[in-house]
Amino acid sequence: MTEPEAPPPEGVTAWHPMLVALLELYLPSGWRLSPELLLNRMPLRVDIVVLRLVDQPAGHARKLHSIFGHLRQHTLIEHKGPTDDLAPEDVLTLLAYGALYMRHNKLADPDELCLMVIADRIPASFARQVERHHGTFAPLGGGLWRGELSGLSLHGVETREACRQSPTEHLLYMFSRAYLKGAGQILPLDPEEARVYNALYQQVEQFRRQRGTMAMKDYELARQSYEEVLEQMLAQLPPEKLLARLTPEQRLEGLTPEEILRAIPPEVQELLAKKLER
């Protein structure tokens, strides 16, 4: 009998490569990031990031303390994009991946592994499911949650709250549902944040070129939100700075020949006229 074909894997949310890029940019020294944990025997497509301590002692985090301040030697992060909800069954996903990760890496001590969830919000149904497995999970305030699941440390970050607690968490707004409704509210960005903001979206574009648009969920939403912020940033630039960002071709685009001619200094116009007379 022919076995039924497995359904195609669900596309990676567009915010997964953004989160990977953000974590890599601010990852303290001594840590290594694996962007995807692929355990082929599990028929699930989950956005998983693994942070692993490889050098002792670990450096101090400069930003994203809501995440980096709660790591264990091995930290397995399940991320939900702004359009996805954290559901009770995600407790089972975390348990399954955590157990397989420990088995693959020959970890015997549960204290070496932390399970983490990053999502727009952590619903009560998720916490109740943790309790059904004789675990604990409770809010600490400021978008942070802490608990335990089957002897493993469990940490949660609600991006919609954590992003407002400190300038060090500001860019987590990109991973909240509010970003889809009002992307421009992330402004103002300081110069470093503006560079990082652009770099995060470039990771989405690189992922799309490598794997195709069909391999990615919510690509259009991510693109539209990125462009909304970019337009507002450009609108706030003084004319001379805006002009400096344009290529020569972009500066001439949309101008009539007469407007282009008037923009040329008189002495240059005179030289051009002499050359044309020859």
Side-chain angles (χ1 to χ4, degrees), residues 148-163:
E148 184 179 288
L149 180 61
S150 296
L152 300 171
S153 172
L154 180 61
H155 179 68
V157 179
E158 289 185 313
T159 54
R160 65 174 181 170
E161 294 294 333
C163 68

Side-chain angles (χ1 to χ4, degrees), residues 12 16-25 27-28 30-39 45-54 67-68 71-79 97 101 104-105 113-114 116 118 203 207 211:
V12 173
H16 181 67
M18 284 189 189
L19 180 67
V20 170
L22 184 66
L23 295 178
E24 284 183 323
L25 282 167
L27 192 65
W31 293 88
R32 178 183 299 156
L33 182 148
S34 299
E36 292 179 272
L37 178 62
L38 299 177
L39 300 174
R45 165 64 267 178
V46 184
D47 294 335
I48 294 290
V49 180
V50 176
L51 300 181
R52 180 174 180 175
L53 183 63
V54 291
I67 298 172
F68 294 141
L71 303 180
R72 292 290 176 93
Q73 185 173 347
H74 301 260
T75 300
L76 192 154
I77 301 173
E78 180 181 358
H79 169 236
Y97 270 82
Y101 180 84
H104 285 197
N105 291 276
L113 179 65
C114 173
M116 188 179 298
I118 299 177
Q203 290 299 310
F207 188 98
R211 305 197 188 185

Side-chain angles (χ1 to χ4, degrees), residues 203-222:
Q203 290 299 310
V204 173
E205 287 298 324
Q206 181 178 342
F207 188 98
R208 183 182 64 86
R209 288 193 295 267
Q210 289 175 345
R211 305 197 188 185
T213 304
M214 294 300 293
M216 180 177 291
K217 291 170 54 182
D218 303 329
Y219 168 72
E220 283 300 320
L221 281 173

Side-chain angles (χ1 to χ4, degrees), residues 86-102:
L86 190 65
E89 53 266 30
D90 288 308
V91 174
L92 300 176
T93 300
L94 276 170
L95 267 176
Y97 270 82
L100 281 175
Y101 180 84
M102 291 185 70

Side-chain angles (χ1 to χ4, degrees), residues 171 174 189 192-204 226 230 233 245:
L171 288 172
M174 289 183 66
L189 297 171
E192 177 188 337
E193 288 175 335
R195 290 192 297 271
V196 171
Y197 182 83
N198 185 62
L200 299 188
Y201 183 73
Q202 297 313 312
Q203 290 299 310
V204 173
Y226 168 77
L230 195 62
M233 290 172 63
R245 295 173 66 93

